[in-house]
Amino acid sequence: MLADTCPHFRRFCGKHTRPLLFLLIVAAPAAQAPQVRPMQADGVVRLLADLESALAGNSIDDYRRLTAATLTPADAAAFVAASFGEGQSFAAVRERDRRPTGPGFMVLAEILLGRGRTGRIATWQLLVQPDGTTTNRYEIAGAAAVASVDGLVRLDLDTSRQFEVRDLTFTAPGLSVRLASGAVFLARVADGPTALVFRGKGEMRFAPEDPAEQIQIRAFSGRPALESPLDLAFFRLSPAEFETRLASAQLVPVATPNPGDVARALQTFEEFGRRSYTLDLGDLTTDRWSLLPPAGDVLAEFRTRRHGTLTYVRSSDDAEDVSLFDRQRGRNISVYASAERLATRGRFYSEDDWMAYDVEHYAVDVRLDPEREWISGRGSLRLRTKARGLATLSLKLAESLSISSITSPEFGRVLALRVAGQSSVLVSLPRAVPAGTELVLDVFYSGRLPAQTIDREALVVSADRIAPQDRPDPRARQDQPIPPEPRFLYSNRTYWYPQSPVTDFATAALQVTVPAQFQVVASGSLVNSVVTPVLEGARRGGDARAERTVQFLADRPLRYLACIVSRFVSVDSVQASVPAVAPSSINRAGGRIVPEPASAVSLDVVSTPRLLRGNRALPERAKAIIEFFAGLIGEAPYPNFTLATLDAELPSGHSPAYFAIWNQPTLPTTLSWRGDPLALSGYPLFFLAHEVAHQWWGQAIGWKNYHEQWLSEGLAQYFAAMYAAHDRGGDVERQLFAQMRQSAMDLSRHGPIHMGYRLGHIQNDGRLFRGLVYNKSAVVLHMLRRLIGAEAFDRGLQRFYRTHRFQKAGTDDLRVAFEAETTMSLERFFDRWILGFALPEVRLHWRMEPDGTHVRVRVEQSGDTFDFPLTLTVHYDGGQSEQVTLAVISAVHETRIPVPGRVRQIDTRDDLGLVAVKR
């Protein structure tokens, strides 16, 4: 998955996300409140223009002539100290907001200052008042700093000096580059070079040590190491490290720069220089201002003959600090943790460890016009800081949504900087706050935002990386003879409300207003639904005659908010009896009384009109599934559950907290999915059971990072199979596991379960992801159940749920829960089956003992030793047979099996594990 910000900005923001990369920050007026000004420049505008002149001329005296006698010495001194300095020769002042206050205004102003090749951007709140001589002349009566960013550098390629290179080598984790011969130009700052442009003959080699990453490289290049000639390279790194990594002694000055080389170098610098660490400061300046890479970080672009342009990043702050990216195709080729990072991080990590804050509660009030794909509203986040001295934090909001303002009860209006082309919003606080500080941010926004398609939670991982032409149209295809009922889903693949950069368990209040002909299903318990008329002048397009406003409360924490809008009709409402429901997380301090734990889940089933008649029995079926799962775990996580059934061409689903969507394949179609690993035959309700299971696995318990997604999909897949066995018997269960086993065996060579969404990512083949993260995970869990015993397995799942409910968990957490219920060490089991991708090969030997009462069985593993159950089918001369399961936990396993008669044959044809048995 691609991250939205470069490593420097993760450090600057006090947060961390998954790797990558490129960053363009826009301090754009479009992200601020619209301003209304008279045609002629007013006094405030003239005052700011005069202030800009004083700053550009570095004249403190000119500035003082713009101040009022009431400006306090402290305010005046603070502004002077921050805004004037030696060598200052450039300034830009832009008004971003203006509010009346008394006889004057409170003006939010953005100021960019240039001092030689260094710069600073700051936001100030200026109190401006009439000077008393005229009503249209203003002076500065107060000044308070809001936020600032220091350390900007104006980066230009130095074309006055050309260098010839001979066998310059560059190394970084996993990467080696040799620049054999060619022309080099540098971009310098005061501390030395920070960028290098090379054009000539060279070669690169990217060779990760991790065997799983080598599989990804092979999928991209055909070999486990990527080797290619190159004719162009661009490097960015810290000036402090430039000499050690790219020794200038290997750069021989050329007497006179070649005009052709200069032109080509400038073209390269223009193309690649703006993609990394560069700030686009909108209307403040057209100059290129940049941030320096922090020590330890490297960004390198290569134009290769075989694979086009590739981007390498070493981000010293990332949990996975090495990545290779194919920019043109939008593919992560390799993302992994270097040996240095693993030594400090360990094998497992949580994305929350790099977050600067924790969201405790969301309050979202949005108005959706789904047919116009328009959304507007307010999103409020109550958060608690984790980082010490936090001054800047990051939010996510869809790129197409404009922010009119971000305010805080603690600080008033705060500065918001957009990350261009992505969904990140950087929020600068007026002052640094200590860890544990509670803040509320209110974000007002609006814009066009298409709905997402309805499918499994992670088939598309990053909303930022869906090209506009690839964004699915939620409306009917034009060639469909019977179009489906329009449906509009806003969930975890569209940042439709302001949220944390990573999923974050929080309670929530959600209010959604839609045209009255639609109904809303959303995260939370339904609180109220009201239809109100729309005034004639307020109608959009003249169509909406009434609006429906629906309120929901999620008083149990959830990972993200979601809603679906369609023309639903009610099928029925029933109560599912459960041992308990997780208690509310909103207490008296939040304005509510904690209710006693409930013993029922309120279940509502709705459908599109054409499915109403065929789904009359569905409420009782869904009720039975909920009761079965809650009985296994001992609790249901949420007190309410709505099942929304939709007509569709192919089966699919989506299951946010408190509700699930089930696409029922009822429409004529020319599409086929028989070859998909999830096309499991023999139990039509498997999809439904899987989606219901996500209320426990994936929602009540989330995953710590993308590697751990198997805990959601694998457990949901396994629970669906267990319900099938409960509902239809063991033969159906065996049939389902046999199908899942086949796809897992066929696909395991493509990588480990732990690789998550990246399975099939390079090939753009989601079947690899589904066959391994869904099916292989379920088969592995079934193997574990047979290995440690059903009772220990069930207790382990219950312990895992109790320990991590409404939290994120990882593979190690699941292992610890199971080990607490058995005497067996399971570290090797999870290492081999979840983190590894090889499958064990064994030879089976057996012989009758002379007394005829026992059979001696020997199982020999070749290669790495795995732990697994092996089910033997023992066939007797009389025609009868029986099954015996062995717990194989050594390279050579021998055992004696008592038998009632003469054994004719022993085989493993009924074993459902992932073991290849050689005869």
Side-chain angles (χ1 to χ4, degrees):
M1 181 184 296
L2 304 184
D4 271 342
T5 56
C6 78
H8 189 98
F9 267 84
R10 279 191 297 275
R11 186 173 294 173
F12 168 72
C13 296
K15 77 175 189 67
H16 183 84
T17 61
R18 292 174 288 263
L20 202 66
L21 222 202
F22 326 109
L23 147 105
L24 292 175
I25 292 185
V26 181
Q32 305 294 335
Q35 300 179 36
V36 179
R37 291 179 179 164
M39 292 296 292
Q40 303 297 321
D42 61 16
V44 175
V45 173
R46 288 198 297 270
L47 173 65
L48 296 182
D50 291 341
L51 177 61
E52 180 177 286
S53 297
L55 293 169
N58 202 28
S59 174
I60 297 175
D61 290 338
D62 287 347
Y63 159 69
R64 286 174 176 158
R65 283 191 283 270
L66 303 175
T67 62
T70 55
L71 178 66
T72 66
D75 281 2
F79 188 86
V80 168
S83 305
F84 293 89
E86 183 178 354
Q88 186 160 297
S89 59
F90 172 83
V93 179
R94 298 293 181 268
E95 179 183 349
R96 298 305 187 204
D97 189 39
R98 184 190 304 189
R99 294 183 180 181
T101 175
F105 299 93
M106 186 65 73
V107 175
L108 189 71
E110 213 163 69
I111 301 175
L112 174 65
L113 303 173
R115 296 167 185 171
R117 305 199 68 80
T118 64
R120 182 178 195 268
I121 183 172
T123 303
W124 288 83
Q125 282 212 357
L126 303 177
L127 175 61
V128 300
Q129 294 180 347
D131 68 354
T133 62
T134 174
T135 58
N136 202 28
R137 180 177 175 83
Y138 288 81
E139 55 189 6
I140 300 171
V146 174
S148 65
V149 178
D150 293 288
L152 277 63
V153 294
R154 186 155 46 198
L155 198 62
D156 294 309
L157 193 65
D158 183 1
T159 58
S160 66
R161 303 175 66 189
Q162 179 176 347
F163 300 89
E164 183 181 356
V165 63
R166 294 290 182 184
D167 288 327
L168 176 62
T169 59
F170 175 86
T171 60
L175 177 72
S176 61
V177 182
R178 174 175 173 261
L179 306 181
S181 62
V184 165
F185 292 86
L186 303 177
R188 302 172 181 272
V189 294
D191 295 332
T194 182
L196 178 148
V197 172
F198 164 83
R199 297 190 71 126
K201 293 182 178 180
E203 56 189 22
M204 68 160 293
R205 185 174 192 269
F206 182 78
E209 296 181 1
D210 186 344
E213 292 300 327
Q214 293 174 9
I215 291 179
Q216 301 305 298
I217 299 299
R218 185 184 293 277
F220 181 77
S221 67
R223 297 179 180 180
L226 192 156
E227 298 175 330
S228 178
L230 60 87
D231 58 14
L232 179 153
F234 173 81
F235 293 92
R236 281 295 309 272
L237 60 162
S238 166
E241 296 185 324
F242 195 94
E243 184 67 26
T244 57
R245 290 181 174 271
L246 294 165
S248 59
Q250 295 175 276
L251 303 178
V252 180
V254 175
T256 304
N258 180 285
D261 290 339
V262 169
R264 286 185 288 271
L266 284 172
Q267 180 184 13
T268 301
F269 186 75
E270 180 66 22
E271 179 181 359
F272 295 115
R274 66 172 60 250
R275 291 177 173 175
S276 58
Y277 305 101
T278 300
L279 303 176
D280 181 354
L281 297 175
D283 62 345
L284 284 168
T285 181
T286 58
D287 292 340
R288 177 181 288 133
W289 289 89
S290 175
L291 289 169
L292 293 177
D297 286 15
V298 173
L299 183 142
E301 306 263 11
F302 309 107
R303 190 173 69 191
T304 67
R305 297 178 185 175
R306 298 174 184 171
H307 308 293
T309 300
L310 303 178
T311 303
Y312 170 90
V313 172
R314 169 74 191 288
S315 175
S316 57
D317 270 355
D318 275 325
E320 295 187 312
D321 56 330
V322 178
S323 60
L324 186 70
F325 180 63
D326 180 357
R327 186 194 301 274
Q328 183 178 0
R329 298 173 183 84
R331 293 283 179 263
N332 280 320
I333 303 168
S334 182
V335 183
Y336 67 97
S338 66
E340 178 184 350
R341 169 58 68 239
L342 285 173
T344 59
R345 190 203 76 187
R347 292 189 305 168
F348 302 100
Y349 70 95
S350 173
E351 59 191 4
D352 289 346
D353 293 341
W354 277 263
M355 285 303 300
Y357 63 89
D358 175 59
V359 178
E360 297 181 340
H361 184 76
Y362 287 101
V364 178
D365 181 359
V366 294
R367 175 171 272 101
L368 292 172
D369 190 341
E371 292 179 329
R372 292 176 60 235
E373 298 182 334
W374 188 264
I375 182 172
S376 62
R378 168 186 175 179
S380 179
L381 303 83
R382 189 179 77 235
L383 57 90
R384 190 170 300 277
T385 61
K386 295 165 58 178
R388 291 180 296 177
L390 181 66
T392 305
L393 55 87
S394 180
L395 303 176
K396 286 280 196 178
L397 187 67
E399 175 196 356
S400 62
L401 300 178
S402 296
I403 297 174
S404 57
S405 70
I406 300 182
T407 61
S408 166
E410 295 81 8
F411 297 123
R413 185 163 180 143
V414 295
L415 174 65
L417 302 176
R418 267 289 192 181
V419 178
Q422 298 169 3
S423 306
S424 290
V425 181
L426 302 183
V427 178
S428 294
L429 304 177
R431 64 177 184 275
V433 297
T437 301
E438 183 176 284
L439 294 175
V440 174
L441 296 177
D442 294 315
V443 183
F444 294 84
Y445 62 98
S446 63
R448 184 180 179 275
L449 185 66
Q452 69 179 65
T453 54
I454 300 168
D455 53 23
R456 295 291 173 93
E457 178 172 282
L459 297 190
V460 177
V461 179
S462 174
D464 283 344
R465 295 299 158 211
I466 307 173
Q469 65 271 20
D470 298 329
R471 291 189 186 273
D473 187 345
R475 295 164 294 192
R477 292 204 336 251
Q478 295 299 315
D479 60 346
Q480 282 183 300
I482 303 176
E485 188 72 40
R487 71 287 311 269
F488 307 90
L489 174 64
Y490 294 90
S491 187
N492 62 322
R493 278 172 38 199
T494 55
Y495 298 113
W496 62 283
Y497 64 95
Q499 58 196 267
S500 170
V502 300
T503 57
D504 190 2
F505 278 98
T507 56
L510 173 61
Q511 178 170 292
V512 182
T513 300
V514 296
Q517 67 267 30
F518 292 112
Q519 287 77 36
V520 181
V521 174
S523 302
S525 302
L526 179 63
V527 175
N528 195 22
S529 179
V530 179
V531 175
T532 56
V534 177
L535 298 177
E536 187 70 29
R539 293 179 188 169
R540 293 175 174 82
D543 296 330
R545 298 187 178 278
E547 288 184 332
R548 183 186 308 275
T549 298
V550 192
Q551 295 175 324
F552 300 88
L553 176 67
D555 61 345
R556 278 75 171 174
L558 37 69
R559 289 174 56 220
Y560 57 85
L561 292 169
C563 69
I564 183 167
V565 179
S566 188
R567 294 181 178 89
F568 290 119
V569 292
S570 175
V571 179
D572 200 2
S573 298
V574 296
Q575 295 286 309
S577 298
V578 297
V581 176
S584 172
S585 296
I586 297 181
N587 55 27
R588 290 179 185 270
R592 287 185 164 271
I593 299 175
V594 178
E596 291 297 320
S599 59
V601 173
S602 297
L603 168 64
D604 294 306
V605 178
V606 299
S607 76
T608 51
R610 65 167 56 102
L611 296 179
L612 179 60
R613 179 173 297 181
N615 280 327
R616 292 298 186 188
L618 191 56
E620 289 299 320
R621 174 60 72 185
K623 171 187 172 184
I625 295 173
I626 292 173
E627 291 177 342
F628 176 73
F629 291 161
L632 286 175
I633 298 302
E635 183 183 273
Y638 302 107
N640 299 86
F641 179 72
T642 300
L643 176 63
T645 61
L646 303 171
D647 42 318
E649 296 177 89
L650 296 176
S652 62
H654 184 61
S655 187
Y658 285 86
F659 76 96
I661 301 163
W662 183 28
N663 272 348
Q664 294 180 288
T666 56
L667 298 178
T669 182
T670 58
L671 304 176
S672 174
W673 81 310
R674 290 186 178 180
D676 195 279
L678 297 189
L680 304 176
S681 60
Y683 192 66
L685 294 175
F686 191 90
F687 262 98
L688 174 60
H690 178 106
E691 299 307 332
V692 174
H694 269 312
Q695 297 298 299
W696 285 262
W697 315 118
Q699 297 307 331
I701 295 181
W703 19 285
K704 287 182 173 178
N705 58 68
Y706 74 90
H707 290 291
E708 309 291 7
Q709 192 176 353
W710 77 274
L711 294 174
S712 168
E713 300 300 349
L715 279 165
Q717 195 82 334
Y718 187 60
F719 264 51
M722 285 199 296
Y723 180 75
H726 168 77
D727 187 41
R728 295 289 179 87
D731 289 342
V732 170
E733 180 188 42
R734 284 189 290 273
Q735 179 184 351
L736 291 170
F737 275 115
Q739 295 176 73
M740 289 189 281
R741 176 184 183 272
Q742 185 61 53
S743 66
M745 294 284 284
D746 292 344
L747 300 175
S748 283
R749 68 184 185 279
H750 291 283
I753 290 170
H754 207 242
M755 190 163 281
Y757 84 93
R758 293 178 54 217
L759 293 162
H761 175 71
I762 293 173
Q763 303 94 319
N764 197 26
D765 186 353
R767 292 174 300 175
L768 304 184
F769 169 78
R770 296 190 287 275
L772 296 175
V773 174
Y774 285 69
N775 288 354
K776 184 178 179 182
S777 296
V779 175
V780 168
L781 287 167
H782 194 49
M783 292 169 60
L784 180 60
R785 184 186 186 96
R786 293 159 54 215
L787 182 67
I788 67 175
E791 292 185 1
F793 182 87
D794 290 346
R795 292 195 306 268
L797 279 182
Q798 292 163 6
R799 177 184 291 271
F800 179 63
Y801 173 83
R802 290 194 310 269
T803 304
H804 299 285
R805 182 189 65 193
F806 302 143
Q807 299 175 21
K808 296 179 183 178
T811 301
D812 241 18
D813 298 314
L814 184 65
R815 175 184 63 80
V816 168
F818 281 122
E819 284 183 338
E821 303 297 339
T822 179
T823 58
M824 186 181 300
S825 170
L826 298 176
E827 184 171 359
R828 186 167 63 191
F829 179 89
F830 283 97
D831 281 356
R832 295 286 189 264
W833 293 111
I834 303 300
L835 277 67
F837 57 89
L839 297 178
E841 294 184 353
V842 305
R843 290 190 179 276
L844 176 66
H845 307 275
W846 66 274
R847 61 181 175 83
M848 289 286 299
E849 293 193 340
D851 62 4
T853 62
H854 288 80
V855 170
R856 185 169 293 275
V857 175
R858 178 183 175 93
V859 180
E860 299 177 353
Q861 297 190 52
S862 58
D864 293 334
T865 301
F866 284 72
D867 298 339
F868 57 87
L870 185 65
T871 298
L872 307 179
T873 302
V874 183
H875 303 272
Y876 297 101
D877 282 348
Q880 69 272 33
S881 63
E882 66 172 331
Q883 291 184 345
V884 177
T885 297
L886 308 180
V888 180
I889 57 174
S890 58
V892 177
H893 178 87
E894 288 191 276
T895 188
R896 296 173 69 238
I897 302 174
V899 293
R902 184 75 183 175
V903 175
R904 175 172 51 87
Q905 179 65 38
I906 297 179
D907 59 47
T908 58
R909 67 183 62 182
D910 293 321
D911 184 68
L912 293 175
L914 300 171
V915 181
V917 180
K918 295 183 177 181
R919 293 179 173 83

